[in-house]
Amino acid sequence: MAQFAVKMTMPEAINISNYQSPQVLINIFVLTISLVAFCMLFRRISRLSPPKAPRTYQTPAPVPRMRLAQMSSHISNGHNNGSQSNGHSDATATLADIPKSNNFTSKLPPDPQFPTPIDSHKAPRQKLGPRMVRGALYTFVRPEPTEEPELLAVSKAALRDIGLAESEASSEEFKQVVAGNKFYWDEEKGGVYPWAQCYGGFQFGSWAGQLGDGRAISLFETTNPKTQIRYELQLKGAGKTPYSRFADGKAVLRSSIREFIVSEYLNAIGIPTTRALSLTLCPKSEVIRERLEPGAIVCRFAQTWLRLGTFDLLRSRGDRDLIRKVATYIAEDVFGGWDKLPAALPAETTDAHLDPARGVPKDEIQGKEGAEENRFTRVYREIVRRNAKLVGMMQAYGFMNGVLNTDNTSIYGLSLDYGPFAFMDNFDPAYTPNHDDHMLRYSYRAQPSIFWWNLVRLGEALGELIGAGDKVDDEEFVEKGVHEDFAPVLIKRAETIIEQISDEYKAVFLSEYRRLMTLRLGLKTQKESDFEKLFSELLDTMEALELDFNHFFRRLSSVKVDDVSTKEKRESTAERFFHREGVTGLNESNDSGREKVGKWLESWRERVVEDWDISDETTASAADEQREKLMKSVNPNFVPRGWLLDDIIDRVQNKKERDILKGVMEMTLAPFEDEWSWNEEIEKKYCGDVPRFQRAIQCSCSS
């Protein structure tokens, strides 16, 4: 198996804009510095050294390393990245009724120690614990039973998207299934037996070996008959699996509340994400973390739970046959067929951010000489573009995953696995929500770099298939591997193609970021100068004055053109964006804050007047009304920040205030509303100023 080792290097020039400010993420200087620092930090990670290849494969001599330009900065209206619809409110199905499938386990190889559901089912539960698993994508494993489960919350939006009736959430069967006490298989009739996935990953930039679903167990797949979207339902916190390593297979209530809320919130604001159907307390389960905590289970779902780390593990083991099988499964079963994948872009295109043509026949070779693209290149392109769009959205909304390891990066372009995540409070590009992230690897400004770093690891795993070009189906290549004479050609082609796709990553990322920032500022059109005069200047001002990132956009929604028509009015309006205690930035004051925000509001007003074609008071009034409606539809009023999640956890876990989850879910599923009419006091508290000493909270990965 040809060994690919991609060294991340800075390109000679990254021309994103003419922006020269020294402080913000989208600033080219900071981008350059952060990328150089990033490359230095990981210069020792040159390649994986896999164990000796299986006898059936021939591993050629080592080949030269590829050098790829690392692209990251800021954000395409390209292919749908997997955001779910709100489903249909007329669903009447029960869990027993909905169609169930097991495409994943029927088409990919199982754990050889338990090759069938019966083999696993007859084994004592303790025999299904941690060990190394090779030559497999999953292990059949049943959830551990939960005593006296308490169903705390259910997402109505999730019920609709799956195709379940809202009344199903109150049934006993639903309660038992989402607690892991029932699944749809028996020895006589068969059905779908639960399973846990096998994968690996790079964690904090270092190879971590076999990881896998250590506490997540998938129940079945189901396809909504109206939307035709297939989801895989999974229980997180349902017990040990062969991939639990030294852990207990459990999840604590604290982290489960966080994941339940943020999964549904991100979907509500349009960011592609895995979803959460229900939250169950396990009252008889006490879990040891930093302290003794109550256990819980989240029933979650996604179009697929495959990650980049799936390929990392196979590559580390030299399992080229399984790499090919998994890539084929992704193309045919996850993305819907080879013809659904994006074609090669035209040479010298300036529209790399636009969705490429599709409908390319499976065996067609595209591209110029030396960069011939086969079908596996199209798989890689699809995964890259989906993740580029995702991170563009994350940056525009100030969301940080906190632990973007390759095993937490989805092949479907979904935000995945929620540990120490956070939304930005005061704008600080160096903020990381992970208190173990001392090198700021997963900070806000580093996220675009990290996504691309992870995608380069995927490029290394797929590099042999990508570089094979039109020989990818030759019998000798498939059966015996890369001949030493062909290796330099293969490596060069793979390097060229991945470099080209890195440009697409940058273009899609920038385009999506610009699109959302334009909408968040109430503009209908984009101008090149907006990047510097509006986006960059605003973020510089926010950082200097320590202004709240998401509050600024929401409050800007209500600013009328006349409110900023003179210098005096602009400086008065500027105070709307200050904290209750005023400006808190270092060496800044309320006076300097009024001046800086007022100056930015002048530039913003000029663009609004131009963009909305405002010529007099009448057109200004009509435009203000339309623009406010537009801005409030993209700038959420409710944001599940760290401090309020801690407050919710305290109320539910310690004060037994279970009903608060119902109200919070109303806000979560409709975050753009001005009010929700369930508890005025709590609504104002959760949508108001973040308490000064509870801003920029950091969490551990322990959950």
Side-chain angles (χ1 to χ4, degrees):
M1 179 178 180
Q3 296 304 312
F4 290 85
V6 182
K7 184 177 180 181
M8 313 287 281
T9 61
M10 278 296 297
E12 292 183 2
I14 302 180
N15 295 316
I16 298 176
S17 72
N18 294 322
Y19 175 48
Q20 298 298 321
S21 169
Q23 298 182 21
V24 188
L25 167 66
I26 55 181
N27 170 323
I28 297 304
F29 176 73
V30 168
L31 173 63
T32 303
I33 296 299
S34 65
L35 285 174
V36 170
F38 176 77
C39 295
M40 291 175 64
L41 178 61
F42 300 107
R43 65 188 184 278
R44 295 182 180 178
I45 303 173
S46 58
R47 66 183 180 92
L48 286 172
S49 298
K52 187 176 180 180
R55 294 179 183 176
T56 53
Y57 307 135
Q58 290 187 359
T59 305
V63 293
R65 298 175 181 174
M66 289 194 293
R67 291 180 173 270
L68 296 181
Q70 179 188 15
M71 299 293 181
S72 72
S73 45
H74 262 55
I75 343 197
S76 129
N77 295 327
H79 185 60
N80 185 291
N81 254 353
S83 296
Q84 290 80 7
S85 70
N86 285 329
H88 295 264
S89 59
D90 59 347
T92 59
T94 66
L95 270 176
D97 294 336
I98 59 174
K100 300 174 185 67
S101 61
N102 59 339
N103 287 270
F104 185 86
T105 59
S106 65
K107 296 182 179 181
L108 293 170
D111 181 346
Q113 187 164 326
F114 301 103
T116 70
I118 291 178
D119 292 323
S120 177
H121 198 68
K122 288 183 176 180
R125 189 59 181 78
Q126 61 269 25
K127 294 290 186 182
L128 301 174
R131 60 184 171 80
M132 297 300 292
V133 177
R134 295 183 179 275
L137 266 294
Y138 64 92
T139 299
F140 288 115
V141 56
R142 59 193 179 275
E144 294 178 358
T146 300
E147 293 184 56
E148 301 177 18
E150 180 184 348
L151 184 60
L152 295 180
V154 177
S155 166
K156 293 180 180 179
L159 287 168
R160 291 194 299 269
D161 286 344
I162 293 171
L164 292 169
E166 288 189 14
S167 59
E168 175 65 356
S170 60
S171 73
E172 183 63 22
E173 179 162 346
F174 182 91
K175 178 180 177 180
Q176 296 303 324
V177 170
V178 299
N181 289 336
K182 178 176 181 176
F183 52 92
Y184 294 97
W185 179 93
D186 67 52
E187 198 166 338
E188 293 183 1
K189 297 179 181 179
V192 179
Y193 201 88
W195 69 94
Q197 275 195 42
C198 178
Y199 49 83
F202 287 89
Q203 298 188 331
F204 287 88
S206 298
W207 177 237
Q210 177 181 293
L211 301 170
D213 288 336
R215 55 181 171 174
I217 298 175
S218 293
L219 299 177
F220 55 81
E221 304 154 352
T222 185
T223 300
N224 185 317
K226 293 187 176 180
T227 65
Q228 289 302 302
I229 298 176
R230 189 178 77 197
Y231 297 110
E232 181 180 323
L233 271 68
Q234 183 179 87
L235 302 181
K236 182 175 181 179
K240 284 187 179 182
T241 76
Y243 314 108
S244 298
R245 294 179 289 168
F246 302 105
D248 54 15
K250 303 293 185 180
V252 298
L253 179 60
R254 159 179 54 87
S255 64
S256 299
I257 289 174
R258 286 170 54 86
E259 175 156 357
F260 178 71
I261 291 173
V262 78
S263 299
E264 291 304 275
Y265 178 82
L266 289 176
N267 180 69
I269 65 172
I271 294 181
T273 175
T274 60
R275 303 287 301 282
L277 172 62
S278 64
L279 172 66
T280 298
L281 174 66
C282 306
K284 300 294 185 179
S285 173
E286 292 188 324
V287 183
I288 300 175
R289 293 297 182 261
E290 285 89 349
R291 58 187 183 277
L292 203 60
E293 300 187 56
I297 294 174
V298 174
C299 181
R300 55 189 196 169
F301 61 101
Q303 289 92 331
T304 179
W305 292 98
L306 282 165
R307 306 125 188 279
L308 304 194
T310 305
F311 288 98
D312 290 334
L313 183 62
L314 299 177
R315 174 177 174 261
S316 76
R317 293 172 171 176
D319 199 336
R320 49 193 306 274
D321 179 57
L322 261 186
I323 288 176
R324 188 184 187 99
K325 284 182 179 178
V326 175
T328 299
Y329 173 82
I330 289 170
E332 296 178 349
D333 281 77
V334 177
F335 293 144
W338 294 102
D339 62 324
K340 303 298 192 298
L341 300 175
L345 299 182
E348 308 301 326
T349 183
T350 58
D351 296 323
H353 63 288
L354 299 179
D355 191 32
R358 295 173 188 266
V360 181
K362 172 183 175 181
D363 296 325
E364 182 171 321
I365 303 297
Q366 297 184 302
K368 61 185 179 181
E369 184 178 356
E372 298 89 344
E373 297 188 8
N374 59 35
R375 63 185 182 274
F376 293 104
T377 295
R378 295 190 280 276
V379 173
Y380 183 59
R381 172 176 287 113
E382 178 75 354
I383 295 171
V384 167
R385 294 180 71 95
R386 283 172 175 267
N387 279 284
K389 188 171 183 179
L390 170 64
V391 71
M393 293 178 174
M394 291 169 64
Q395 297 300 99
Y397 277 103
F399 176 71
M400 290 141 286
N401 175 281
V403 60
L404 281 172
N405 301 322
T406 59
D407 57 297
N408 291 339
T409 308
S410 165
I411 61 98
Y412 206 78
L414 303 174
S415 179
L416 173 72
D417 281 0
Y418 298 104
F421 68 84
F423 284 89
M424 188 74 75
D425 292 326
N426 292 351
F427 182 74
D428 177 5
Y431 170 59
T432 175
N434 188 333
H435 75 34
D436 297 321
D437 185 16
H438 308 299
M439 299 298 292
L440 306 184
R441 177 181 173 87
Y442 300 128
S443 64
Y444 174 79
R445 70 180 172 201
Q447 283 191 139
S449 306
I450 292 301
F451 264 96
W452 179 241
W453 192 91
N454 292 348
L455 290 163
V456 171
R457 304 285 78 73
L458 175 64
E460 291 175 341
L462 294 176
E464 185 179 290
L465 294 171
I466 292 171
D470 60 357
K471 298 186 184 301
V472 73
D473 294 318
D474 285 4
E475 183 177 352
E476 182 177 359
F477 172 78
V478 174
E479 298 296 330
K480 299 181 180 180
V482 183
H483 191 278
E484 190 170 355
D485 293 341
F486 181 52
V489 175
L490 183 149
I491 292 294
K492 179 62 177 176
R493 181 185 289 121
E495 173 184 323
T496 300
I497 289 172
I498 297 175
E499 283 179 344
Q500 291 174 352
I501 292 178
S502 74
D503 290 335
E504 295 181 46
Y505 174 85
K506 173 186 170 184
V508 172
F509 172 38
L510 277 166
S511 177
E512 186 62 18
Y513 178 81
R514 283 177 167 142
R515 182 185 72 84
L516 282 173
M517 288 293 283
T518 297
L519 290 173
R520 297 201 77 182
L521 291 177
L523 301 175
K524 298 182 292 183
T525 61
Q526 296 182 29
K527 291 180 66 175
E528 282 299 316
S529 59
D530 291 344
F531 206 83
E532 178 181 351
K533 291 188 67 175
L534 292 182
F535 305 170
S536 302
E537 288 296 331
L538 174 59
L539 297 183
D540 274 349
T541 301
M542 284 185 183
E543 183 180 7
L545 303 178
E546 295 186 349
L547 301 182
D548 189 284
F549 182 75
N550 280 295
H551 276 166
F552 192 99
F553 291 104
R554 182 70 181 191
R555 293 170 184 177
L556 185 66
S557 304
S558 301
V559 174
K560 302 184 186 307
V561 169
D562 184 61
D563 294 341
V564 289
S565 58
T566 67
K567 181 179 180 182
E568 291 74 18
K569 287 184 176 182
R570 287 191 289 272
E571 293 192 356
S572 175
T573 299
E575 295 181 4
R576 300 187 193 183
F577 307 103
F578 297 172
H579 293 294
R580 282 192 297 265
E581 66 272 19
V583 170
T584 59
L586 185 65
N587 298 322
E588 299 288 354
S589 64
N590 286 357
D591 287 341
S592 66
R594 283 188 286 267
E595 180 181 353
K596 289 182 177 180
V597 175
K599 181 180 178 182
W600 181 85
L601 287 171
E602 182 178 14
S603 299
W604 176 74
R605 181 185 182 278
E606 290 175 0
R607 274 293 284 126
V608 169
V609 169
E610 173 191 29
D611 194 60
W612 288 85
D613 195 22
I614 296 173
S615 57
D616 52 36
E617 289 185 6
T618 302
T619 55
S621 178
D624 282 338
E625 184 178 349
Q626 293 178 49
R627 179 177 48 77
E628 180 175 1
K629 184 177 180 180
L630 169 69
M631 292 181 71
K632 284 189 173 182
S633 71
V634 294
N635 293 317
N637 186 24
F638 172 69
V639 179
R641 303 164 186 267
W643 78 273
L644 69 85
L645 289 172
D646 282 351
D647 186 66
I648 294 167
I649 291 165
D650 179 58
R651 288 170 180 258
V652 174
Q653 181 172 309
N654 301 322
K655 299 176 181 177
K656 313 302 180 186
E657 297 178 18
R658 308 291 202 237
D659 286 345
I660 193 172
L661 284 171
K662 295 179 181 178
V664 168
M665 285 308 293
E666 288 186 30
M667 301 174 76
T668 296
L669 298 180
F672 301 106
E673 299 296 324
D674 286 322
E675 57 184 28
W676 297 267
S677 302
W678 71 276
N679 187 310
E680 184 178 356
E681 180 183 353
I682 294 179
E683 288 176 26
K684 286 184 177 180
K685 177 180 178 180
Y686 285 173
C687 296
D689 243 20
V690 179
R692 183 169 186 177
F693 298 107
Q694 290 181 289
R695 296 168 193 161
I697 288 175
Q698 291 184 308
C699 305
S700 74
C701 294
S702 173
S703 60

